[in-house]
Amino acid sequence: MHNPMLILLICIVAVLTVAVMVLLWCYISSQRQMQQKNEAIIREMRQNMQLREELRKQLFINN
């Protein structure tokens, strides 16, 4: 009776280890995606600010 309990315990630990690794991988993957999206948003904001500044300069020169 000692052997089946040990095998069951080892299986439970293995399943939990795999579950933790999968959750960790999902978390890291989502963090990378979030960082890439944030960088894209920042690039767009900087480009918009630059375009606005150019438009202001052109409007100032034309007036």
Side-chain angles (χ1 to χ4, degrees), residues 18-32:
V18 169
V20 167
M21 292 180 77
V22 167
L23 288 173
L24 220 91
W25 178 79
C26 288
Y27 174 76
I28 291 171
S29 176
S30 69
Q31 290 291 42
R32 276 193 203 130

Side-chain angles (χ1 to χ4, degrees):
M1 188 153 74
H2 190 68
N3 255 353
M5 272 308 239
L6 186 61
I7 292 172
L8 181 63
L9 184 62
I10 289 172
C11 288
I12 290 172
V13 169
V15 167
L16 288 175
T17 302
V18 169
V20 167
M21 292 180 77
V22 167
L23 288 173
L24 220 91
W25 178 79
C26 288
Y27 174 76
I28 291 171
S29 176
S30 69
Q31 290 291 42
R32 276 193 203 130
Q33 284 181 337
M34 187 71 70
Q35 186 175 3
Q36 289 172 350
K37 288 178 183 180
N38 285 345
E39 289 171 357
I41 290 169
I42 290 171
R43 272 195 309 274
E44 288 293 322
M45 288 176 65
R46 286 183 180 154
Q47 184 180 14
N48 286 345
M49 288 171 54
Q50 183 181 11
L51 290 172
R52 272 192 232 152
E53 189 60 35
E54 290 175 10
L55 182 61
R56 282 187 192 130
K57 286 179 184 177
Q58 286 181 357
L59 289 175
F60 183 72
I61 291 172
N62 290 338
N63 286 333

